[in-house]
Amino acid sequence: MLFRSNLSVAAFAMALASCTPAPIDDPFDDTGELIALSGGDAGPQAACHTCHGLDGGGDGALVPRIASMDTGYLVRQLGFYADGQRSHPQMTWLAGRLNSEERLAVSAYYAAMDFPEGMEGSTTLTGPSCEIAKGYEIYHAGLPERALSSCASCHGETGLGSGGGNPPLIGQSAEYHAEQLRRWRNGERYGDALNVMHDAASKLQESEISPLAAYIAYGPEPSRRLGFPEECP
């Protein structure tokens, strides 16, 4: 009797198991799209699009463009936020709740996006000015008297950057560039190889940061460059 009872229990368990539905693969589970649009496990307050926009273009001020940025660069920045090498209340909180796979997924999602239309130069200028001319000189020639290499030597003559270590600069606002230069200079942002950006920003005077940021935001691509008055110093 006991033997038959055990057989009955085993048969019932097998039948029950056969009725249990197989797990369904959710196409949005742990994907970069899910994190970007809904925040994933971190909740809607962590959704990237609430600040960076659905197109990843930022807000045109202090929230940067992340669309079409290099995947490796974005992954590194999330890591820097998570471990304190970059500081921002919301980004530090968000990055700390993403594991390495999720950081890679959301970075790849934004890297695959097209460059937002109309963002080649984020600053509109009505005419040439001596102020932006100073930014032009620093970007393309540096300041040899202070042993400051040109920005173009790493970020390219057109501001398109190179790989994960030298990100593109175009498509960001002048306000964002100025803030980041000050953060590099003041030691509030770090993490680049050999502290190149800290050393470079430390050689800039405060009066030179705004012109340089404005020139970069305007876009150093040759077809967008303005002629500068001959009387510019």
Side-chain angles (χ1 to χ4, degrees):
M1 180 67 71
L2 180 60
F3 177 70
R4 288 184 178 180
S5 176
N6 287 341
L7 285 178
S8 298
V9 171
F12 176 75
M14 292 178 63
L16 183 63
S18 66
C19 295
T20 302
I24 299 174
D25 291 332
D26 184 348
F28 295 103
D29 185 34
D30 293 329
T31 66
E33 183 176 18
L34 175 66
I35 297 168
L37 300 182
S38 72
D41 293 338
Q45 67 271 32
C48 308
H49 79 89
T50 58
C51 293
H52 293 280
L54 290 173
D55 66 351
D59 68 352
L62 294 178
V63 178
R65 168 183 71 85
I66 54 177
S68 80
M69 299 288 281
D70 181 82
T71 301
Y73 174 78
L74 293 176
V75 169
R76 288 178 64 219
Q77 301 315 303
L78 286 173
F80 290 157
Y81 279 120
D83 64 21
Q85 293 191 67
R86 289 191 70 172
S87 177
H88 183 279
Q90 188 167 357
M91 285 302 303
T92 299
W93 176 87
L94 187 157
R97 281 159 177 74
L98 300 177
N99 61 38
S100 58
E101 292 181 354
E102 291 168 334
R103 292 175 197 166
L104 176 59
V106 73
S107 296
Y109 172 73
Y110 279 107
M113 283 186 167
D114 293 331
F115 191 95
E117 185 176 354
M119 290 192 68
E120 289 80 1
S122 298
T123 299
T124 300
L125 299 176
T126 57
S129 70
C130 290
E131 180 183 22
I132 201 171
K134 184 60 178 177
Y136 172 94
E137 293 175 7
I138 296 173
Y139 187 90
H140 293 285
L143 296 169
E145 67 276 15
R146 297 183 214 160
L148 174 61
S149 300
S150 69
C151 306
S153 63
C154 290
H155 296 282
E157 290 290 332
T158 60
L160 292 176
S162 175
N166 301 307
L169 302 179
I170 60 172
Q172 311 289 16
S173 71
E175 294 93 334
Y176 177 78
H177 283 305
E179 181 188 66
Q180 296 308 307
L181 284 169
R182 293 186 179 102
R183 285 181 177 273
W184 284 115
R185 182 188 63 185
N186 298 337
E188 297 172 3
R189 178 180 175 180
Y190 48 96
D192 65 322
L194 304 177
N195 291 319
V196 171
M197 280 303 304
H198 171 70
D199 291 343
S202 296
K203 295 172 183 176
L204 291 172
Q205 297 175 0
E206 179 62 30
S207 61
E208 295 166 334
I209 288 180
S210 291
L212 177 58
Y215 176 73
I216 296 171
Y218 175 70
E221 199 277 323
S223 66
R224 292 180 52 81
R225 294 178 194 163
L226 297 173
F228 300 109
E230 293 182 0
E231 63 271 17
C232 286

